[in-house]
Amino acid sequence: MLCDYKNIANVVASGIDIDSTSELVSKAISARATTFLEFVQSLEEILTSTEKDIRLNGVKAFVTVVKNLPLDFFLTEELDYINQFLCDRFIDHHSFIPTVLSGIEYTVQMKNITKEMIVRYFNTIMPHFHCQSQLQNDRYTFYCILHQIFLNRLEDVRFMGPDFLYCVISSMDGERDPNNLILLFRILPQFLRNYPLGHLTEETFDVIACYFPIDFHETEESKITRNELASNLARCLTCVEEFSDFCIPLALQKLESNLIIAKLDSLYLLVNKLCCEYFNPIKIKSHIEEIWRILKIIIMSDKEDSTDEVREAAIGVLTALLYSLAIVKGDDKQEQLSDFLEIILKSSTRFLLDTQANLFIPSIKLLCSVGKTSKYACLKIANKVYLMLLDKSDVSQTEITRIIEGMGLITNMCLQMSIDLSCIPGLDRRWEEIGCYFLLYAQNELPEVRISALKALQISTRLLTKSQRQNYYCIITTLIKSNTTGSIRNETLSCFKEAAKYYKEEINTDIIHFNINNLNQSNDILMKFKWLNAICSLGNEEYFFKLINDIMCANLCRNQEETQMTLNCLRELVRNIENTKLLHHFTLNNGLLNCILTLWINGIKNCENFQIFRNEIILNDVSFVVNSIVKIISNSEQQRVLNQFIQYFNDIVETKICYQSLSDIEKDKYSYMVILLESILNSVNQDVKINNVTLIIQNCVELSTFTNISICNLSASRLAATLINKYIEGDESNVILNNLKLHLESNLHLANVNKKNVINQISWITKSLALKGHSKMLQWIDWSLDLLADPSYGKMMTMCFKMLTNVDDEYLNTKCFCSVKLLYRQRIFCYVIEPLVSSYNTLPEPIKENYLISILYQIDGNNYVTLSPYFSKILPVLLQLLSPEQIYVLQSLKTFRNLLESKTPVLEDHLQSFIPKLLNLSQNSKYMDIRIVALQCLYNCCDYSLIKLLPLKKQVICELGKCLDDKKRLVRKEVVKTKSKWLSIDVIKDDN
Amino acid sequence: MGLDNENPTLFEKSEERIISEKDLDDNEAEEFDSREIFDLIRGITDPEHPLSLEELRVVDQNLIEVDDNANIVKVLFTPTIPHCSMATLIGLSIKVRLLWCLPPRFKISVTITPGTHASEHAINKQLDDKERVAAALENTHLSTVLNKCIATA
């Protein structure tokens, strides 16, 4: 063992490998194979050496061994020696300090350390240690020691009184490292709250306050954020009551700075102060006027440097201040609140005098936020502002708009604070006037006045008296019936909705029933539309579900115009509905879904009125409405609907169709029925069982291929694609898909077939497989690529490549329960782009175009990340196109604009090549669309780095000057926009 | 620092110009008219407030005169108060904006609406002086303020 120690002593003396050796020794000591004493004895020569470096190595080994032992390893007596030893070494030589500090940091955490030892440490440290002369790491270690003391040993140092406090503040005085500061700011509140500050209060505050407001620029590497520093600093500054005397003046002083950061930090500091538990409202009293003076400037002024954020923070302070004044009990405080309110009201009054002035609405908004802090404030403000506004006489129309807006805001405040207008003193006789005022102006001729009156009425719906409501309903009825602008109509409907929320019965009897009877007998389509539209707006109220359902059912199928109009309303209703309960209501037995499907199934089957049952627009709407309802309901409900209606489609779902052998009547009947079938099946969940899926798919393909009706072709091919996506899986799928492919291939060569239909079907199936990531996907894509080369239908095939990147809201997406693989578009792009580009480069002229169009579609549908690996191939193609002689210049310019808009980085290196081309296009193209898009491209170029743009600036501005005299005004507008942007690229941004 | 006019009166903004069929027809040509000039300058920001000249009714379409064939553009502007110290700056920003955005064939004149400013004559003279306008643009401080006003137009 001794021999081992000799070895260790040598290692330590040499200074190499101290860490690993010490670790071994610690393990041996922990395992009781040797003792700590033996280890220290072995170091005797080293620790007493006259060479300080050797001594330092000894101390390092000593500290490392101690640090590797458990916290409860040493007994108190042993610790006492260690403590004594470390204290002695601390003053041995300055180079020992870092090592000894880390030893102290560990030992103060030990279980058996006593008060005396802690005091001994600090008695040694305080006279001999100047924290700020140490390196950042060592200062950090010292703050960690303080942290430990603050957490567990504060009682032990308490008797040292101001000395310890002085040690703490002098150690951090002048600290600049953000890592150290964040640690200090985090641990200080705990200490300051529990340690008497005495005569050092101001010094302590100053040491912390000098960091306010935090000036720290985050870099990408820094782990600390400015906000973190600022919020922790604010906590330090507000953590004790004694700081109030210094903290509020500090915040107010910095609040007047021009820096937004300083303003924000000061405001947050004030809020922090006002909301913290140590806040004493008496302290704020002497500052209250000063605070209001500064806040007023920030809140009211519209100078650019007071951004919305600052303004909101300032309102936050004001409300916090009012809250804190309001919650304090006692007469004296009430007086304080009322005094403060007086000040606020007095200074706002002069802005309320001129309703047309800039600060009229802002000052009312300010008063509203003040009023929302307490009922007392609310009453006082409502009283003052209402009376002021009511007493205005001889006002112009524009002023009325603003007066009504102001009253609306105040009414809203009262409602939020649950204040009854009739109990506001001074207003008790006049409050009905306010409702009348709104009602009167809701009938005004000027649209702006009307809109603001309607908005105000909407807010004050609950405040209107019975007779006022009768009047209100008349106004709503008249407005619904009248021919007004869109915005007034929207406002009227919002009022109608709001009123229906609180007075269902009244709305039902006074507005709806009163008018609907006349409506049913009338032939005025426009009037009917207005009423249906209004009634649809009540779709969120359960009370009216039955009414909506019945009225809609009653108005379907009377004649073409009415049907179209009703479906239009329904379409809007199902698209914008917030409460899906109504849609569930529609699926009930006598519901709308039942009604629509029964009507149209019978209508198509019995060849009734073609104008209604075979009208493309109407069928489109029917399909949309049915689809939207089916999408919302649960699986079991879907299954019920399916079971109920599938029997009517037996011709398509049970028997194989051979289109050519059908009679003309049957052909049409089948074609239209498939649209209805699609509307039901499109959004059913994959779990819902459908029989004969393969047969349905085959029939759909058959119908889509041979039909002459375009809407039917679309529905049938889409339905086939949806079903393949949802239901075709496993081994059998390959057989089915192969058969389909063979069938479609042979159809392409048939003479009596519309090729476009077949191509369309191929495109839809390819898309469906691509979405699903089916194993046959690539085979179908290859086939599509080959078909592009065909001279007769290659051009139609390009649509497939557009379709592959498009996302449809209604069909083939996850909302309709289709399988959609992640990143499917990117996968397709990577697969097709190279063959497309190489075919474009090699193939002869007319066919070449098909590939080019497909490339453009593909680029449009993908973002830069996907494009970047292929850029070297794509860019030459794009650049070639940017000349006025090219046919596809507009399309490629649009693609190019999208790339520039998304700041595609690769393009930055090619600015020099394409900017002259764009300038040329913007001057010399014959078509205004091309000139406009070229200019938009130039506009988007400005987002690249200044260093690349500057060399081109002169040329661009000079050339754009020539475009200023373009004959088309729209082009000139674009030139001005682009030129201004280029002129300002090197303007220095003056934002703090 | 006090503002010349702390609480100015606001006016309604006009609607965007409606695009007609003719505007979209490649074969038709449109002359410069007063509305087009108004659209160029109405969005300029007031140096004191983040409000546009249109909202403060400093510029008005009725006070703009354009003769496309004679290459003349005349703009009158109305300061919000007769002692507005910013009038020259506002005039300058209108002038600079028009110089940048109109073809060089136009002769542009920007003057104060008669009788609306105390030192109307001096300001008009200043704005009409090519040398002084050019010198103002060379001044870094002034051009920063100008750029800020024009940036929103």
Side-chain angles (χ1 to χ4, degrees), chain A residues 39 53 93 107 118 126 186 203 221 238 265 473 538 566 609 613 628 674 693 759 819 863 897 907 957 969 977 979:
Chain A
F39 164 65
D53 290 340
H93 188 268
T107 49
I118 302 259
M126 283 192 297
R186 276 183 193 142
E203 277 80 357
E221 294 92 54
T238 53
D265 272 5
Y473 299 150
L538 305 180
T566 314
N609 190 349
F613 297 106
S628 309
V674 85
V693 174
I759 294 287
S819 351
N863 60 9
R897 181 184 60 190
L907 290 178
I957 292 198
R969 186 174 292 131
K977 196 173 137 201
K979 194 181 167 196

Side-chain angles (χ1 to χ4, degrees), chain A residues 108 127 192 208 243 297 379 475 528 822 836 873-874:
Chain A
V108 292
L192 297 173
I208 312 170
F243 284 172
I297 296 174
L379 277 173
I475 294 172
K528 272 197 173 182
L822 202 65
L836 284 174
K873 294 200 174 70
I874 304 168

Side-chain angles (χ1 to χ4, degrees), chain A residues 302-304 350-351 354 356-360 398 402 448 926-928 931 961 964-965 967-970 972-973 976 979-980 983 987-988 990, chain B residues 1 6-10 17 19 22-33 36 40 48-51 97 100-103 105 147-148:
Chain A
D302 50 6
K303 275 193 297 178
E304 275 168 68
R350 89 191 151 95
F351 298 117
D354 182 2
Q356 254 190 300
N358 186 23
L359 295 177
F360 177 73
T398 37
R402 300 182 119 228
E448 301 87 51
K926 271 189 286 180
Y927 306 102
M928 62 184 283
R931 296 201 296 273
L964 280 173
D965 220 355
K967 65 174 183 174
K968 299 302 297 175
R969 186 174 292 131
L970 289 173
R972 294 199 293 260
K973 199 172 158 192
V976 167
K979 194 181 167 196
S980 307
L983 278 167
V987 170
I988 302 151
D990 176 32
Chain B
M1 182 189 71
E6 182 190 29
N7 191 13
T9 307
L10 291 190
R17 186 175 195 144
I19 297 171
K22 204 180 138 195
D23 288 330
L24 300 170
D25 185 349
D26 253 317
N27 302 318
E28 299 277 348
E30 292 105 32
E31 290 192 345
F32 282 86
D33 59 9
E36 189 170 351
L40 285 176
E48 268 189 351
H49 306 273
L51 297 168
R97 171 78 179 163
W100 282 350
C101 301
L102 287 178
R105 64 185 166 92
N147 274 321
K148 236 188 205 173

Side-chain angles (χ1 to χ4, degrees), chain A residues 753-768:
Chain A
V753 167
N754 183 350
K755 300 284 186 297
K756 199 172 172 195
N757 286 356
V758 184
I759 294 287
N760 206 357
Q761 180 68 71
I762 297 173
S763 308
W764 276 105
I765 295 182
T766 315
K767 168 146 190 178
S768 143

Side-chain angles (χ1 to χ4, degrees), chain A residues 612-647:
Chain A
I612 295 180
F613 297 106
R614 300 200 176 175
N615 177 318
E616 283 201 9
I617 303 171
I618 291 184
L619 276 169
N620 221 330
D621 285 342
V622 167
S623 166
F624 180 86
V625 172
V626 173
N627 186 11
S628 309
I629 298 175
V630 174
K631 201 187 290 181
I632 283 298
I633 57 182
S634 69
N635 286 6
S636 55
E637 281 176 307
Q638 286 185 343
Q639 188 77 57
R640 186 177 57 76
V641 171
L642 190 66
N643 292 343
Q644 187 186 345
F645 289 100
I646 200 80
Q647 50 184 314

Side-chain angles (χ1 to χ4, degrees), chain A residues 741-777:
Chain A
K741 188 166 174 253
L742 288 174
H743 183 64
L744 287 166
E745 252 168 347
S746 64
N747 281 349
L748 262 183
H749 299 111
L750 289 179
N752 58 345
V753 167
N754 183 350
K755 300 284 186 297
K756 199 172 172 195
N757 286 356
V758 184
I759 294 287
N760 206 357
Q761 180 68 71
I762 297 173
S763 308
W764 276 105
I765 295 182
T766 315
K767 168 146 190 178
S768 143
L769 294 174
L771 286 173
K772 195 182 166 84
H774 194 275
S775 54
K776 287 275 171 190
M777 162 184 107

Side-chain angles (χ1 to χ4, degrees), chain A residues 172-175 181 185 202-215 233 237 250 254:
Chain A
M172 68 174 288
D173 192 4
E175 178 60 59
L181 281 174
F185 293 157
E202 191 167 358
E203 277 80 357
T204 315
F205 183 81
D206 283 345
V207 167
I208 312 170
C210 69
Y211 297 103
F212 185 84
I214 296 274
D215 181 17
L233 173 64
L237 292 174
L250 172 77
K254 302 290 180 193

